[in-house]
């Protein structure tokens, strides 16, 4: 009985790992108010982050919150509201933006748009994506 119980726990963990969503082809660009790509901070109005969430037949279909965190070159996360937090690895962490996705177990293209609301520093911005308490993708963007 103990061996069967142990096997069942291992299988449950395997299924949970297989059910984690994955974001691929993650890209980030800075855009101006006309929607054109720019590389200079003073010309940018928004950061556009696009990606594809891969098909996953093991994951449950339905509504999912997708979280995006943008970290500045100094390591601080850009937040618009101190109340914007979610659970990740047992901790509450801040996020920059959140969108809801109706996931139906098929590939889905998805984009975030973050409006510049503060002065930004020159350097590399790290962008992390999360869903269901797991990191699902990442990219970076260099701004001059």
């Amino acid at each position: 009985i103990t061996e069967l119980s142990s096997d069942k726990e291992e299988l449950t963990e395997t299924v949970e790992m297989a059910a984690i969503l994955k974001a691929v082809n993650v890209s980030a660009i800075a855009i101006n108010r006309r929607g054109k790509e720019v590389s200079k901070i003073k010309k940018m109005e928004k950061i556009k982050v696009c990606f594809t969430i891969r098909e996953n037949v093991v994951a449950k279909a339905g509504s999912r919150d997708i979280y995006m965190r943008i970290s500045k070159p100094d390591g601080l996360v850009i937040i618009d509201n101190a109340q914007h937090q979610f659970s990740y690895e047992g901790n509450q962490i801040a996020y920059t933006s959140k969108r809801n996705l109706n996931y139906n177990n098929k590939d889905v293209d998805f984009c975030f748009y973050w409006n510049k609301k503060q002065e930004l520093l020159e350097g590399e911005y790290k962008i992390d994506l999360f869903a269901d308490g797991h990191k699902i993708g990442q990219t970076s963007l260099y701004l001059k």
Side-chain angles (χ1 to χ4, degrees), residues 49-141:
V49 179
C50 292
F51 51 95
T52 301
I53 295 184
R54 296 298 310 189
E55 176 179 358
N56 187 334
V57 294
V58 179
K60 291 182 182 176
S63 180
R64 302 281 176 83
D65 286 330
I66 309 295
Y67 298 93
M68 177 179 67
R69 284 174 51 112
I70 302 174
S71 299
K72 299 186 281 188
D74 60 9
L76 297 175
V77 175
I78 297 173
I79 56 172
D80 296 332
N81 183 332
Q83 305 299 320
H84 289 177
Q85 296 189 358
F86 68 100
S87 181
Y88 175 66
E89 294 184 347
N91 298 311
Q92 291 295 312
I93 63 172
Y95 64 86
T96 305
S97 184
K98 172 178 95 168
R99 286 198 50 209
N100 190 270
L101 165 70
N102 189 17
Y103 184 67
N104 60 4
N105 301 90
K106 302 215 184 303
D107 281 3
V108 61
D109 294 327
F110 201 74
C111 289
F112 274 99
Y113 291 87
W114 176 77
N115 293 315
K116 180 173 126 181
K117 297 175 183 160
Q118 57 185 267
E119 287 303 312
L120 300 176
L121 307 167
E122 179 179 339
E124 183 179 26
Y125 287 75
K126 294 184 188 306
I127 298 153
D128 297 308
L129 303 166
F130 300 85
D132 303 327
H134 299 282
K135 187 173 182 179
I136 63 170
Q138 65 187 31
T139 191
S140 63
L141 171 67

Side-chain angles (χ1 to χ4, degrees), residues 13-21 56 58-59:
E13 288 177 20
T14 302
V15 169
E16 287 175 4
M17 293 298 288
I20 297 172
L21 299 179
N56 187 334
V58 179

